[in-house]
């Protein structure tokens, strides 16, 4: 809560700590930014926010105070250091206020500050991603993001999973789908820096599997890159993915882990981010808390891909892409299942082999693989995972039949040569989790600096 005092001043206090104080504080120092200032001649009301929480601290500055005449000229956005006394507030709406004794300007904020107005559209704010975090909504968003990242680690650490730092630069293509960014030298001399073609990772999974087959339960959590040219509200070119991988775990274990994980994250947000979430529940999505409550109390429903296709075909809905066995589910199908049919999270399992990656375990029917996707309302797919093909010959056959090079995947096949074991894992898109938890409708609004096709600010 406090930073050490460097002068005669008391240590700096965070607004969050002051607002939850049980007692008055005779002498305290607050450092933050002015949100509003109202000058009433004999005194001024200043709302100060220091980023520690959604709420502002109400500061009452008497006109005789050092720095007063300068303070009342300050506008929204100015950075200030205020010394004063935390006292019970006689006014309505807050328990505490800071009765200022001195205000020192740290950085002024002229009239052309783009956030002078109170309300701005998300589109406008996307154009100033470097400033939007100064608004209530984006401050709340990025505090929730930070807290949920901690919750990811807490979940896995409590279950004995080891955190593995899988590489970002890679010479293999996890999904075999070729939607990767190439990494090259700026100068074009035809040489590869690493002696071979290198890309930004699309998933840490293959590297992670090797660690699961030694450390048992592992996870990776970091930036992921996809060069797919899909300019949608749910795709980013750079996003964060959480990927657990467990040895001696089958698809059943995997689905259970995915359900427990999602619930843990939602419960964490409701318990630990209540104030910030209230902003989204009040101003972004009035159905938010009911939806989160529903996820927190019920586990995901399960349905096989084959059943899901039948449900979609019988729905009578005229989908743009008619659902058909053997074709991948479209976002419209996924959202229909999660929003209309099951009205909550649903895990679709056992997809046709043809629509899924080479590493997924072939089922006994030799038509479907042990894949599972979790779909949620408002977002669609939030988790994708599978039991992995652990049988050497089956995997090699699959690789070759999908046109992948046995040589290039030699290291991966090694894991099936030496002490292979059944294992499973999944990937959760961290931004899609934030969309679910906050009700934000666009992935660009849940990541600090969005990167999407044709758009990178700096
Ligand atoms: O379903 P995906 O492609 O699965 C994998 O990458 C597996 N290798 C994961 C694993 O089994 N370890 O991606 C996993 C999740 C998706 O469900 C989605 O939530 C998110 O990552 N995702 C994206 N999020 C934002 N922008 C994109 N372009 C995304 N692509 C995938
Ligand atoms: Mg997927």
């Amino acid at each position: 809560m406090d930073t050490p005092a460097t002068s005669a001043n008391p240590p700096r206090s965070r607004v969050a700590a002051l607002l939850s104080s049980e007692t008055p504080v005779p002498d305290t120092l607050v450092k933050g930014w002015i949100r509003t200032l109202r000058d009433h001649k004999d005194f001024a009301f200043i709302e100060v926010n220091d980023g520690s929480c959604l709420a502002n601290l109400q500061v009452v500055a008497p006109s005789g105070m050092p720095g007063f005449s300068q303070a009342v000229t300050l506008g929204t956005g100015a950075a200030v250091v205020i010394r004063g006394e935390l006292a019970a507030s006689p006014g309505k709406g807050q328990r505490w206020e800071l009765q200022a004794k001195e205000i020192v300007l740290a950085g002024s904020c002229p009239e052309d500050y783009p956030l002078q107005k109170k309300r701005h559209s998300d589109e406008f704010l996307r154009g100033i991603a470097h400033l939007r975090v100064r608004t209530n909504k984006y401050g709340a968003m990025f505090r929730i993001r930070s807290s949920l990242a901690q919750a990811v680690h807490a979940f896995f650490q409590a279950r004995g999973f080891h955190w593995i730092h899988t590489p970002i630069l890679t010479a293999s293509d996890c999904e075999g789908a070729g939607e990767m960014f190439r990494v090259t030298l700026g100068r074009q001399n035809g040489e590869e820096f690493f002696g071979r073609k290198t890309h930004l990772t699309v998933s840490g999974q293959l590297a992670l599997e090797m660690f699961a087959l030694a450390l048992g339960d592992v996870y990776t959590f970091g930036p992921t890159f996809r060069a797919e040219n899909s300019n949608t509200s749910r795709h980013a070119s750079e996003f964060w993915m959480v990927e657990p991988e467990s040895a001696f775990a089958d698809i059943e274990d995997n689905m259970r882990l995915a359900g427990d994980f999602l619930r843990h994250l939602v419960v964490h947000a409701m318990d630990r981010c209540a104030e910030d979430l209230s902003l989204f529940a009040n101003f972004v999505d009035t159905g938010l808390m009911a939806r989160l409550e529903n996820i927190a109390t019920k586990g995901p429903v399960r349905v096989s891909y084959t059943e899901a296709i039948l449900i979609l075909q019988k729905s009578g809905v005229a989908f743009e892409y008619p659902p058909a066995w053997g074709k991948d589910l479209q976002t419209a199908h996924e959202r229909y299942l999660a929003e209309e049919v099951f009205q909550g999270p649903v895990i679709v399992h056992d997809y046709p082999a043809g629509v899924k990656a080479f590493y997924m375990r072939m089922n006994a029917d030799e038509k479907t693989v042990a894949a599972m996707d979790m779909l949620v309302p408002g977002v669609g797919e939030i988790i994708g995972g599978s039991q992995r093909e652990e049988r050497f010959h089956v995997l090699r056959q699959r690789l070759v039949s999908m046109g992948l090079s046995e040589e290039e995947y030699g290291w991966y096949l090694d894991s099936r040569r030496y002490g292979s074991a059944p294992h499973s894992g999944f990937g959760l898109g961290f931004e899609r989790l934030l969309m679910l938890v906050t009700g934000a409708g666009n992935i660009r609004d849940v990541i600090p600096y969005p990167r999407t096709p044709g758009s990178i600010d700096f």
Side-chain angles (χ1 to χ4, degrees):
M1 147 183 175
D2 295 328
T3 50
T6 49
S7 65
N9 279 327
R12 170 198 171 198
S13 292
R14 293 239 164 89
V15 168
L18 291 176
L19 292 179
S20 58
S21 178
E22 289 301 322
T23 55
V25 183
D27 196 14
T28 188
L29 193 66
V30 171
K31 302 184 179 188
W33 293 267
I34 294 180
R35 281 295 169 78
T36 59
L37 186 146
R38 280 173 293 145
D39 182 9
H40 294 269
K41 276 214 167 115
D42 288 345
F43 63 93
F45 280 130
I46 310 172
E47 295 281 331
V48 174
N49 189 282
D50 72 351
S52 59
C53 61
L54 181 64
N56 300 326
L57 179 66
Q58 173 167 292
V59 177
V60 186
S63 58
M65 180 198 69
F68 182 83
S69 53
Q70 191 193 23
V72 290
T73 68
L74 297 177
T76 302
V80 288
V81 175
I82 306 173
R83 198 168 57 77
E85 177 182 347
L86 187 78
S89 174
K92 267 204 190 134
Q94 66 278 320
R95 178 171 174 204
W96 298 111
E97 65 185 25
L98 188 73
Q99 293 170 357
K101 293 175 186 151
E102 186 188 9
I103 296 188
V104 177
L105 175 67
S108 62
C109 190
E111 297 272 303
D112 62 353
Y113 182 47
L115 300 176
Q116 288 288 359
K117 269 199 329 181
K118 269 220 144 158
R119 288 227 168 192
H120 308 270
S121 71
D122 291 325
E123 290 75 14
F124 170 79
L125 292 171
R126 251 170 246 153
I128 48 166
H130 59 296
L131 293 176
R132 68 178 173 173
V133 66
R134 298 176 181 215
T135 63
N136 283 341
K137 178 167 166 185
Y138 289 89
M141 178 65 80
F142 294 114
R143 277 187 298 270
I144 295 173
R145 187 175 167 113
S146 164
S147 191
L148 280 173
Q150 297 291 332
V152 165
H153 289 296
F155 178 85
F156 289 117
Q157 295 290 330
R159 283 163 182 75
F161 282 65
H162 307 288
W163 181 22
I164 308 304
H165 305 119
T166 50
I168 284 172
L169 295 174
T170 172
S172 84
D173 171 2
C174 173
E175 300 295 308
E179 296 162 335
M180 300 189 295
F181 289 102
R182 273 207 62 190
V183 178
T184 54
L185 289 169
R187 55 197 151 79
Q188 292 285 320
N189 61 359
E191 265 176 49
E192 293 288 351
F193 186 85
F194 295 102
R196 55 191 291 198
K197 277 194 180 154
T198 305
H199 301 96
L200 297 179
T201 185
V202 292
S203 161
Q205 179 198 322
L206 302 195
L208 191 66
E209 280 184 56
M210 307 301 112
F211 277 66
L213 292 170
L215 303 187
D217 294 298
V218 292
Y219 69 106
T220 183
F221 179 22
T224 310
F225 305 86
R226 301 224 174 152
E228 55 211 349
N229 200 8
S230 35
N231 225 327
T232 78
S233 59
R234 312 172 323 126
H235 288 86
S237 309
E238 176 178 333
F239 63 100
W240 279 56
M241 185 155 47
V242 187
E243 298 178 90
E245 191 76 29
S246 292
F248 304 105
D250 62 14
I251 184 83
E252 180 66 32
D253 300 317
N254 204 30
M255 290 193 282
R256 197 172 327 114
L257 185 71
D260 290 350
F261 184 42
L262 187 74
R263 272 166 79 169
H264 168 86
L265 296 170
V266 166
V267 169
H268 173 97
M270 293 173 77
D271 288 353
R272 306 284 284 276
C273 308
E275 187 192 23
D276 286 326
L277 266 190
S278 71
L279 180 148
F280 292 94
N282 290 332
F283 300 110
V284 175
D285 177 357
T286 48
L288 183 66
M289 296 322 285
R291 203 161 63 243
L292 295 182
E293 191 68 52
N294 177 42
I295 298 173
T297 47
K298 301 203 307 236
V301 179
R302 294 184 193 176
V303 63
S304 72
Y305 166 89
T306 302
E307 290 167 72
I309 291 291
L310 287 176
I311 292 170
L312 292 167
Q313 286 173 335
K314 284 191 201 141
S315 68
V317 178
F319 291 107
E320 191 188 342
Y321 297 93
W325 204 99
K327 290 197 184 149
D328 208 356
L329 296 180
Q330 301 291 319
T331 300
H333 305 148
E334 295 174 340
R335 291 191 54 178
Y336 182 79
L337 290 169
E339 290 164 21
E340 308 296 331
V341 182
F342 298 103
Q343 301 182 3
V346 49
I347 296 180
V348 180
H349 54 86
D350 297 310
Y351 282 72
V355 302
K356 291 293 185 187
F358 72 92
Y359 52 71
M360 298 192 180
R361 194 178 198 279
M362 187 61 76
N363 286 327
D365 63 12
E366 299 209 347
K367 288 194 192 98
T368 60
V369 287
M372 63 109 185
D373 278 5
M374 193 196 288
L375 319 175
V376 293
V379 175
E381 179 189 336
I382 191 169
I383 285 177
S386 68
Q387 182 167 344
R388 319 307 187 188
E389 183 56 77
E390 86 283 13
R391 296 163 296 186
F392 176 81
H393 294 290
V394 181
L395 182 62
R396 189 175 60 177
Q397 187 51 44
R398 195 103 200 282
L399 252 163
V400 171
S401 73
M402 288 176 87
L404 300 171
S405 143
E406 195 181 333
E407 216 170 42
E408 227 174 274
Y409 285 89
W411 65 276
Y412 185 68
L413 286 166
D414 267 357
S415 62
R416 275 59 167 180
R417 277 192 194 99
Y418 310 124
S420 187
H423 60 287
S424 298
F426 62 80
L428 169 134
F430 192 59
E431 285 70 26
R432 294 199 185 165
L433 169 75
L434 278 154
M435 292 173 73
L436 175 74
V437 164
T438 62
N442 197 311
I443 197 164
R444 292 165 182 80
D445 300 336
V446 303
I447 189 163
Y449 297 103
R451 275 80 174 91
T452 50
S455 168
I456 184 162
D457 285 344
F458 49 81

